[in-house]
Amino acid sequence: MKSRIWLHILALSCMIPMHAMAQEARNAAVYKNNLGLQPLYLFNQGMRIDYERQLNDPHHWLQMSATGYYADDTDYSGIATLLFGDDRIKKLSGAGVEVNYKYFFLKRRFLYVSAGVSHRYFHTLSHAFGYASYHEDGLTFYRLNYGLQSQDFNRVGFNSCFGVQTSPYKRFFVDGYVGLGLCRSFYDRDGYYPDPANINGLSYSGLTFTVGMRAGMRF
């Protein structure tokens, strides 16, 4: 008698998580759109919004992302983010777009791989040496001047990631990912730019490492 009771308990303990997984898969199949935020971008003086859309079946998804950045040196110590700091940069603003293809190994949207391209633009004001023009006797001359100089950075990149997405509630989802990529930065080398050897800097070109987390709603 006791052995039968234990067998029933064991069977129920196996059936309950299987039923929950099947129910989650059915719920996930209903929603073909995801809208999420990446709050960790706040530590880099920015914010990122991700929109995901299911393609021809639950395995294939397209993700489009928009990013904005703004930082002002209000305490006169320079711009400082989670990734880099620079006491000569006094103001930073920027925007970015990214498109990724995502493939989920299971229909219930758990493990996935992704690959995509991105472009980011940054505008900075920095204390640096530059040539300022002045007029004398009807002629224009240039002299070396130390002051606020503007500089633009354009950064294009490719990335590939491995991630996990889960839905603890019916419509709510969380997503974490890590990956590697490549980037190339374009800027005026006669102006001021941060150390190009710093992998997190605005002027870096080369191999990149990506880690992130997003949370949002399915609909």
Side-chain angles (χ1 to χ4, degrees):
M1 184 65 179
K2 290 184 178 180
S3 62
R4 288 185 178 181
I5 293 174
W6 283 111
L7 285 173
H8 283 297
I9 293 174
L10 180 62
L12 285 173
S13 65
C14 293
M15 291 174 63
I16 290 174
M18 291 177 64
H19 175 75
M21 291 175 62
Q23 183 64 38
E24 183 181 343
R26 286 192 293 270
N27 290 337
V30 175
Y31 308 116
K32 298 184 178 181
N33 301 273
N34 290 344
L35 185 64
L37 296 176
Q38 298 210 28
L40 293 179
Y41 270 70
L42 288 172
F43 294 102
N44 292 320
Q45 312 293 341
M47 178 51 69
R48 171 168 162 165
I49 300 175
D50 297 333
Y51 170 70
E52 300 175 347
R53 172 68 181 177
Q54 179 182 311
L55 299 178
N56 57 334
D57 65 56
H59 294 284
H60 304 277
W61 286 69
L62 183 68
Q63 175 184 300
M64 293 168 285
S65 307
T67 310
Y69 301 89
Y70 182 79
D72 199 345
D73 181 25
T74 56
D75 58 359
Y76 304 101
S77 61
I79 298 299
T81 72
L82 182 67
L83 296 178
F84 79 97
D86 195 309
D87 59 2
R88 291 175 62 178
I89 297 180
K90 299 305 174 184
K91 184 175 288 188
L92 178 149
S93 59
V97 293
E98 186 170 335
V99 178
N100 284 280
Y101 164 76
K102 301 176 72 171
Y103 177 80
F104 286 89
F105 295 100
L106 302 173
K107 288 186 177 181
R108 61 182 292 261
R109 306 180 202 168
F110 187 55
L111 298 175
Y112 69 85
V113 292
S114 68
V117 293
S118 64
H119 175 264
R120 289 181 174 85
Y121 165 79
F122 298 94
H123 176 76
T124 63
L125 288 176
S126 309
H127 281 303
F129 285 100
Y131 286 96
S133 63
Y134 65 97
H135 300 280
E136 187 175 300
D137 297 329
L139 300 174
T140 301
F141 299 90
Y142 293 89
R143 60 188 171 196
L144 195 62
N145 181 56
Y146 185 80
L148 282 176
Q149 308 288 336
S150 64
Q151 173 75 296
D152 295 328
F153 299 86
N154 284 280
R155 182 170 179 170
V156 295
F158 165 82
N159 64 81
S160 59
C161 295
F162 174 81
V164 175
Q165 186 177 113
T166 185
S167 180
Y169 299 101
K170 190 174 182 179
R171 286 180 175 267
F172 179 75
F173 76 91
V174 291
D175 187 318
Y177 60 91
V178 295
L180 295 174
L182 293 170
C183 77
R184 177 69 185 273
S185 295
F186 302 90
Y187 53 93
D188 180 8
R189 295 181 180 273
D190 291 329
Y192 173 72
Y193 53 89
D195 181 9
N198 180 1
I199 191 172
N200 298 315
L202 300 177
S203 56
Y204 173 80
S205 295
L207 185 68
T208 58
F209 174 74
T210 301
V211 60
M213 183 198 73
R214 68 174 61 87
M217 300 293 293
R218 293 174 171 173
F219 61 95

